[in-house]
Amino acid sequence: MAVVVRAGAAPLWWLGVVAAGLGAVPEGLTGRRIGTTAGAALFLLGAAGVLLARRGRYAALARGAARAGKYDVLQDRAVTVRGWRRGHRWWLLLGWALALGSAFAVPVAGGLLLAGLGAGLWLKAAWIGRLERSAEALLWVRVDWLGRGGGNPAGKAVKSLRATGVAAGDAAPGGARRRTAALV
């Protein structure tokens, strides 16, 4: 589940940083100073909003996680990330274009909001990682419940989560890539 949440964090963060950097070029209607201040506030609000959104649903799904069965379809981290990014590429592009376009009115603010949404997803994935560590299990969403875009790990279609041991799969708790021990 944390892999799906974390899949959007990097694209949103980097597109937001690029949009904020490019958005600092035009003076805009409000000026750079006001735009940067508004952007900082939007960054914090966006990150907090994403972090706190649907937290109860995530926790309830985590508490009710069942052991993964023989016929549950679970997929690798890389496949999940690639599916999410392909399913959301037009939304990412639209968000980036809007953040960049908003720089002509309020410089930097739209890009920082986009970056804040990405930071919020990273924080939410870290929170889910703490849930996984406390339960000593990785939480998985069945692939057929994720939907066409490969997203929404706490949506209506998700009836429950599946749990495996922390050594299963190629993801660490929190959705990060599992670090492999160096061979000597």
Side-chain angles (χ1 to χ4, degrees), residues 116-137:
L117 297 176
L121 286 175
W122 260 318
L123 293 171
K124 183 175 275 191
W127 175 74
I128 293 170
R130 284 192 297 278
L131 287 177
E132 290 175 333
R133 282 187 201 90
S134 68
E136 294 182 8

Side-chain angles (χ1 to χ4, degrees), residues 11 24 41 47 50 52-53 61 72 79 86 94 112-113 132 134 137 150 174-175 183:
V50 169
L52 298 175
L61 285 170
D72 285 332
V79 175
R86 281 185 184 159
L94 178 64
L112 287 180
L113 173 62
E132 290 175 333
S134 68
L183 298 174

Side-chain angles (χ1 to χ4, degrees), residues 50-145:
V50 169
L51 173 62
L52 298 175
R54 304 189 78 185
R55 227 173 145 140
R57 171 90 169 129
Y58 282 95
L61 285 170
R63 279 190 303 273
R67 196 78 178 148
K70 182 178 180 181
Y71 297 105
D72 285 332
V73 179
L74 307 172
Q75 64 188 11
D76 288 340
R77 179 188 183 282
V79 175
T80 303
V81 170
R82 187 171 48 244
W84 189 95
R85 290 180 181 168
R86 281 185 184 159
H88 293 84
R89 66 180 168 245
W90 294 111
W91 289 109
L92 291 169
L93 183 63
L94 178 64
W96 184 73
L98 288 173
L100 195 56
S102 72
F104 293 102
V106 185
V108 182
L112 287 180
L113 173 62
L114 206 58
L117 297 176
L121 286 175
W122 260 318
L123 293 171
K124 183 175 275 191
W127 175 74
I128 293 170
R130 284 192 297 278
L131 287 177
E132 290 175 333
R133 282 187 201 90
S134 68
E136 294 182 8
L138 290 180
L139 301 173
W140 301 76
V141 178
R142 285 181 33 178
V143 176
D144 53 338
W145 288 349

Side-chain angles (χ1 to χ4, degrees), residues 20-33:
L22 293 174
V25 174
E27 186 66 30
L29 298 176
T30 61
R32 287 186 194 98
R33 183 174 175 195

